[in-house]
Amino acid sequence: MTLAKIPLAGVIGSPIAHSKSPALHTHWLKSLGIAGHYVPLDVAQDDLENVVRTLPKMGFVGANVTVPYKEQVMSMADLVTDRAALIGSANTLIFRKDGKIHADNTDGYGFIQNLRQKAPDWNPKAGPAAVLGAGGAARAVIAALLDAGVPEILLSNRTKPRAEQLRADFGQRLTVVDWVQAGNMLEEATTVVNTTSLGMVGKPALRVPLDGLQKGALVTDLVYAPLVTDFLNTANQAGCITVDGLGMLLHQAVPAFERWFGVRPEVTNETRTAVLR
Ligand code: ATR
């Protein structure tokens, strides 16, 4: 009798000890009764390409990629999906049986699915979206919002040229607003997203004035430590519908897990608890 190979997956980054992905995928593997493993892979810059090319030979069916390698791994892939190319980075690698490496980005998908699950009445077409920040995470959010049909995106970032670059990449539906004016763009917005690291444990507070937030607007923060940020608290008090950022992490993992292990996992309250533990 030949025993089936045990499928392996992991998350490549540096540092990686803080990643919640091992807890998430391990929870799904166990609860779905799949004999596989998912591990953190702390990889040095100089070893990245070697590691990526060696993992499939060791039984890995794929890997997630996080800071600081999300852009770099794209050059190692045989195929880059359209959405990864548009976003300019990959968070998921699939090691195919034919030896080919596929690179995808599921962050934007995770962002939208989180909103759909937690705020089912949210209508992206209802009005402009205001986005704070223009880093890698903002690129995924903007691609996803445009795809969902938002009529206009008001974008503000401390370093303005980064926001202008996004406008050049994503086009006319983006309007760049000065960082000192960021509070003003909230007055029109029916969707508001913080993609900066401000408000995260150990980072400075988000100082953008929030009195312009409109009642009923959908407000979400990509920061999930703390789970309820000051930004979400203020929005809640202003009568906005708020969604925390943990769900984006959970939902971005769904298509990857399905591709690697052949079963589509569900994001439930139990999933959240397992990851927060
Ligand atoms: P990520 O991939 O998570 O988006 P990033 O590319 O480093 O990470 O982007 C971090 C975002 O947080 C950027 O929009 C950054 O603004 P800059 O482009 O001006 O750096 C924003 N950010 C981080 N610290 C900030 C601070 N102290 N004030 C304002 N914005 C800040």
Side-chain angles (χ1 to χ4, degrees):
M1 181 178 94
T2 49
L3 289 172
K5 268 195 190 164
I6 292 176
L8 306 176
V11 54
I12 301 171
S14 189
I16 202 64
H18 66 281
S19 172
K20 293 195 182 294
S21 292
L24 171 60
H25 286 274
T26 300
H27 167 75
W28 278 335
L29 286 167
K30 284 204 174 130
S31 55
L32 292 165
I34 298 170
H37 297 281
Y38 185 106
V39 290
L41 298 161
D42 196 330
V43 177
Q45 172 74 52
D46 288 350
D47 298 329
L48 182 64
E49 175 137 23
N50 255 334
V51 168
V52 167
R53 305 233 174 264
T54 307
L55 286 175
K57 301 175 193 168
M58 299 164 65
F60 277 74
V61 290
N64 284 124
V65 184
T66 185
V67 180
Y69 301 131
K70 290 172 96 163
E71 289 86 21
Q72 223 179 313
V73 288
M74 297 220 292
S75 64
M76 296 161 202
D78 300 288
L79 185 141
V80 173
T81 62
D82 288 346
R83 59 185 178 177
L86 181 67
I87 295 167
S89 66
N91 72 337
T92 304
L93 297 177
I94 295 138
F95 303 139
R96 290 170 27 132
K97 286 208 178 74
D98 63 6
K100 297 251 191 291
I101 298 176
H102 284 195
D104 193 8
N105 192 316
T106 64
D107 286 334
Y109 168 85
F111 172 75
I112 293 290
Q113 287 304 112
N114 183 35
L115 297 187
R116 298 264 186 234
Q117 186 181 46
K118 292 285 176 188
D121 293 334
W122 172 62
N123 176 10
K125 299 184 175 129
V131 175
L132 300 165
R139 295 186 72 95
V141 165
I142 286 167
L145 286 173
L146 290 173
D147 198 42
V150 294
E152 185 188 4
I153 294 179
L154 306 164
L155 174 64
S156 189
N157 192 52
R158 173 181 61 176
T159 310
K160 198 175 178 187
R162 277 186 107 181
E164 281 162 346
Q165 183 59 52
L166 286 189
R167 186 173 188 280
D169 293 347
F170 288 96
Q172 304 291 328
R173 272 196 277 164
L174 265 68
T175 302
V176 175
V177 175
D178 284 342
W179 186 239
V180 288
Q181 305 282 328
N184 296 350
M185 64 184 190
L186 306 178
E187 288 164 19
E188 286 177 62
T190 57
T191 305
V192 181
V193 190
N194 175 39
T195 76
T196 74
S197 49
L198 297 171
M200 192 189 292
V201 177
K203 300 274 169 144
L206 178 69
R207 299 217 182 279
V208 172
L210 299 176
D211 30 294
L213 283 171
Q214 293 300 301
K215 199 171 170 209
L218 184 285
V219 178
T220 185
D221 199 334
L222 266 46
V223 172
Y224 57 80
L227 196 54
V228 182
T229 58
D230 290 346
F231 173 58
L232 289 183
N233 248 326
T234 306
N236 210 5
Q237 281 158 17
C240 300
I241 296 151
T242 56
V243 178
D244 70 61
L246 182 66
M248 175 173 171
L249 172 84
L250 306 180
H251 284 279
Q252 62 77 32
V254 170
F257 188 98
E258 184 179 25
R259 285 294 298 271
W260 301 330
F261 300 114
V263 182
R264 191 167 182 86
E266 266 184 68
V267 175
T268 61
N269 284 335
E270 199 190 317
T271 321
R272 286 173 73 88
T273 311
V275 170
L276 288 172
R277 207 175 288 139

